[in-house]
Amino acid sequence: MPLFAGIDAGSTTAKVVLIDGSGAVISRAIRPGGANLAAAAGAALRDALAAGGAERDDVAGIVATGYGRNAVAEADRAVTEITCHARGIFHLDPMVRGVIDIGGQDSKAIVLDASGNVVRFEMNDKCAAGTGRFLEVMARTLEVPLEDMGRLALESRDPAVISSTCTVFAESEVVSLAAQGRAVEDILAGLCRAVAVRAAGLAGRARIQSPAVMTGGVARNAAVVAMVAEKLNIPLTVPPEPQFSGALGAAFFARDTAVPQPQRAGRAQEISS
């Protein structure tokens, strides 16, 4: 049975999902993006193939998505992240009508209809404020492992107020709060709340309604998920491996529109919808 790959060349990481013709996930892989997203995407693809016990010739189609999608030489075509996230999530749960994705340097709010089509969306891609990069910088400043950030924030009894969503200014606030002796968990709660307020505002403009999910790397931060849900006054679920939703959708586009091996293009052709 031929295999199909979706590559999400995000701003901070490259993710790959490998599926077979039935849609079953064979393997996943993730690599830090670094300065060369194309190289990271290629490396992640090789990792996914190795994890799935497959060879490059076993792959009948590859679709790229994400920030660096047009730089992925291995891809047959490119599809926008909005479309791929919608497809990936709709495959996981056809009842979902809203998707909030917080990635490394952008955020998206997507509304789906009953057929999984994108009805409308809002996107913040002009500033890294309120994204995964924002939280990464703050975690380093506070010397807290990123994966512990949400858990510690939920232990706060008195969340600090972070008045700026600009990464540079917020970092100065964090340093000042720490110097004043504020508890780390209170500062973390304030940071998570700042991200949640920004994400909820984006979702509100898109008119996200339940049932809704949160995806992207930040969806692994339980405090941000809980705070966004509270702001929107709707429950939010987090799918398994939430950072792979876009790559999963891309893999399904690859399966459905595979180009025969001899005709594969060296450069990706953009598909906007």
Side-chain angles (χ1 to χ4, degrees):
M1 181 181 292
L3 302 178
F4 306 91
I7 301 176
D8 183 358
S11 55
T12 57
T13 58
K15 285 83 64 179
V16 173
V17 171
L18 197 65
I19 64 172
D20 64 19
S22 72
V25 173
I26 303 302
S27 62
R28 302 180 182 87
I30 186 169
R31 283 272 187 140
N36 192 332
L37 283 177
L45 176 60
R46 291 190 294 273
D47 290 346
L49 289 170
E55 301 291 337
R56 177 66 179 81
D57 289 344
D58 297 329
V59 182
I62 301 176
V63 164
T65 190
Y67 179 82
R69 60 187 178 273
N70 290 316
V72 180
E74 293 84 356
D76 302 313
R77 57 183 60 79
V79 179
T80 64
E81 37 294 41
I82 298 295
T83 307
C84 284
H85 275 82
R87 180 63 183 277
I89 288 299
F90 192 75
H91 168 76
L92 293 173
D93 185 356
M95 297 303 295
V96 168
R97 296 295 176 266
V99 180
I100 301 169
D101 178 82
I102 308 179
Q105 295 196 54
D106 64 30
S107 302
K108 297 172 280 290
I110 310 167
V111 176
L112 311 179
D113 65 16
S115 299
N117 300 309
V118 177
V119 176
R120 58 184 173 272
F121 69 90
E122 293 284 340
M123 187 170 183
N124 165 39
D125 59 356
K126 305 300 182 185
C127 177
T131 65
R133 178 68 74 189
F134 175 87
L135 292 175
E136 285 179 12
V137 170
M138 301 309 160
R140 284 199 302 269
T141 300
L142 291 168
E143 299 181 344
V144 172
L146 186 62
E147 60 270 20
D148 293 340
M149 200 173 195
R151 175 183 59 80
L152 291 171
L154 289 173
E155 296 176 2
S156 171
R157 298 295 182 89
D158 183 22
V161 175
I162 306 296
S163 60
S164 176
T165 54
C166 170
T167 304
V168 175
F169 293 137
E171 186 175 15
S172 296
E173 285 190 67
V174 165
V175 170
S176 177
L177 287 167
Q180 294 169 25
R182 289 298 300 268
V184 170
E185 58 267 29
D186 292 341
I187 301 174
L188 292 173
L191 291 166
C192 290
R193 189 171 299 280
V195 171
V197 167
R198 197 173 181 91
L202 195 71
R205 291 195 296 276
R207 303 195 296 280
I208 291 282
Q209 295 183 343
S210 184
V213 302
M214 181 174 285
T215 63
V218 177
R220 294 178 296 171
N221 183 313
V224 173
V225 175
M227 291 173 182
V228 173
E230 180 184 17
K231 291 291 181 183
L232 294 176
N233 196 30
I234 61 171
L236 285 176
T237 58
V238 177
E241 306 290 350
Q243 68 270 44
F244 285 95
S245 301
L248 177 64
F252 276 100
F253 277 113
R255 184 196 66 173
D256 295 345
T257 59
V259 176
Q261 191 80 8
Q263 302 178 23
R264 295 173 70 147
R267 298 284 296 177
Q269 179 182 0
E270 177 80 357
I271 297 175
S272 60
S273 61

